[in-house]
Amino acid sequence: MVQAELLAVFNSLPGIFILLQPDTPRFTIVAATDDYLATTYTKRNDIIGKGLFEIFTDNPHNETATGRKNITHSLDHVVQNKQLHHLNDQRFDVYNPFKKDFEFRVWKLYSNPVLDKSGEVQYIIHRIEDSTGKITVDATEQAENIRRLEQSEQQVRAIIESAPFPIGVYVGRQMRIQFLNQSIIDVWGKGPDIIGKTYFEVLPELEGQKIYEQLDQVYVTGIPIHKRNQKVNLVVNGELQPFYFNYSFTPLFDSEGKVYGVMNTAADVTDLVLAKQQVEQSELNFRSMILQAPVAMCILLGPDQRKNNSDMG
């Protein structure tokens, strides 16, 4: 038995300590410091001689509580291996008799064996540190960071959704559609209910136009592809129609540097390309008209009056 004088010294030690017998799984309480009693809302006469888990139980409102199991395992480790064992950030709620309810608590726990002359564990000094405040602050900061991230994502999404040019995001090698803005939905003319489908399911008419191959190349190699004034035939309102786009397929990388998807951005330049083609055709027609004219014609350009075209020999 521990001498009364030593118990008095132990009880007055600064810090949150409790002295236990190694009688697993009971772990009888032999002594407790004043700080321990204050921290756990207990009285010395009520806990001395009782088993540790007769006094302290898991919070019945916490269905995922692991306190008793993990602390028992830690104390058993001390008894079996005769060496210090500790637990970091272990949740074990404490019953507050004044509030008549459990309080959320997170602890750092250190269990140190006291060996007798034969080298057997005679007692376990169990020290705890209340880290609830740090965990709460960390959780609050984490929640605030998540809120800011979500707000930032919402702002970015709003900008992308309202962008006047087509934007789409496709994930996995199967190119499953994760995100589309209204502009690309309008260009495709397939209706709004296409999120979650694959790119190939939504745009089967692209077979043979090398678009599928380009997407797969970007996904496999991680190298972006940029095209200008490319003709793309799309079925819009049930009719296959020609369009012209400047478009890019850009790889999207995860935190490990692996490609997980492809972002598609584009600019519909159909009107510009068709207008250019009309101008070129008009010039060609004009030249053909001059060459086939039944009378001699000559066009002089610039201050030097240099001949541009003529049917004169």
Side-chain angles (χ1 to χ4, degrees):
M1 297 292 292
V2 182
Q3 297 180 3
E5 293 83 358
L6 294 179
L7 284 178
V9 172
F10 184 92
N11 292 342
S12 61
L13 287 174
I16 311 173
F17 294 89
I18 191 171
L19 188 65
L20 304 172
Q21 290 184 0
D23 53 341
T24 180
R26 177 180 171 83
F27 298 110
T28 302
I29 300 171
V30 177
T33 64
D34 294 336
D35 289 341
Y36 186 95
L37 299 175
T39 300
T40 59
Y41 303 111
T42 54
K43 296 179 180 179
R44 186 168 283 112
N45 291 338
D46 293 337
I47 67 172
I48 299 302
K50 302 287 183 64
L52 180 64
F53 299 111
E54 292 179 52
I55 304 299
F56 304 105
T57 62
D58 283 323
N59 184 347
H61 304 299
N62 179 14
E63 297 180 356
T64 60
T66 60
R68 177 169 181 168
K69 179 184 71 174
N70 290 344
I71 294 172
T72 298
H73 176 77
S74 178
L75 293 172
D76 281 340
H77 179 89
V78 173
V79 174
Q80 294 168 10
N81 297 280
K82 303 175 184 178
Q83 62 183 18
L84 172 70
H85 192 265
H86 69 274
L87 293 173
N88 282 325
D89 298 331
Q90 172 63 55
R91 179 179 175 181
F92 196 42
D93 297 344
V94 172
Y95 183 77
N96 185 332
F98 304 104
K99 297 181 179 179
K100 297 183 179 180
D101 198 2
F102 281 82
E103 290 183 354
F104 174 83
R105 292 292 180 89
V106 178
W107 311 91
K108 295 184 184 298
L109 305 103
Y110 305 84
S111 299
N112 195 48
V114 177
L115 305 181
D116 60 18
K117 294 180 179 179
S118 61
E120 298 300 320
V121 178
Q122 186 176 14
Y123 297 102
I124 299 172
I125 298 176
H126 187 60
R127 177 170 65 89
I128 60 177
E129 295 178 4
D130 190 349
S131 57
T132 308
K134 179 180 182 301
I135 296 296
T136 302
V137 170
D138 289 347
T140 302
E141 291 179 351
Q142 185 178 23
E144 178 62 18
N145 290 336
I146 292 174
R147 186 192 68 79
R148 290 177 180 174
L149 179 60
E150 290 176 344
Q151 185 179 43
S152 177
E153 288 178 348
Q154 290 172 357
Q155 292 172 345
V156 172
R157 179 175 287 270
I159 293 172
I160 293 175
E161 287 178 344
S162 61
F165 52 87
I167 301 176
V169 173
Y170 324 126
V171 297
R173 193 166 184 178
Q174 74 277 20
M175 295 296 138
R176 194 164 298 280
I177 298 170
Q178 185 181 65
F179 172 80
L180 300 172
N181 71 350
Q182 190 59 48
S183 181
I184 200 169
I185 291 174
D186 293 341
V187 168
W188 286 358
K190 309 296 184 181
D193 300 323
I194 52 181
I195 300 297
K197 296 182 180 179
T198 67
Y199 188 85
F200 317 112
E201 290 172 337
V202 174
L203 299 167
E205 65 267 30
L206 296 183
E207 181 71 37
Q209 300 189 53
K210 299 183 179 181
I211 301 294
Y212 298 161
E213 292 82 359
Q214 291 171 4
L215 280 169
D216 192 63
Q217 179 181 334
V218 172
Y219 186 86
V220 172
T221 65
I223 300 173
I225 287 178
H226 308 286
K227 297 292 183 180
R228 294 182 61 81
N229 301 329
Q230 291 293 302
K231 182 180 180 180
V232 179
N233 294 319
L234 294 174
V235 174
V236 178
N237 298 322
E239 181 182 351
L240 188 65
Q241 303 178 33
F243 292 86
Y244 292 86
F245 294 98
N246 295 339
Y247 65 81
S248 297
F249 292 141
T250 305
L252 300 173
F253 298 92
D254 61 21
S255 59
E256 297 179 354
K258 297 179 180 179
V259 178
Y260 72 88
V262 175
M263 180 174 66
N264 176 198
T265 56
D268 185 351
V269 294
T270 303
D271 292 342
L272 292 176
V273 171
L274 292 180
K276 181 180 178 182
Q277 290 176 352
Q278 289 176 357
V279 170
E280 291 173 347
Q281 185 62 45
S282 296
E283 290 180 350
L284 181 61
N285 292 341
F286 184 63
R287 287 176 180 272
S288 178
M289 180 188 69
I290 293 175
L291 292 173
Q292 297 177 23
V295 295
M297 298 181 66
C298 179
I299 298 176
L300 301 176
L301 300 176
D304 296 334
Q305 299 295 298
R306 302 182 65 177
K307 182 171 69 173
N308 179 55
N309 199 348
S310 173
D311 63 348
M312 297 176 63

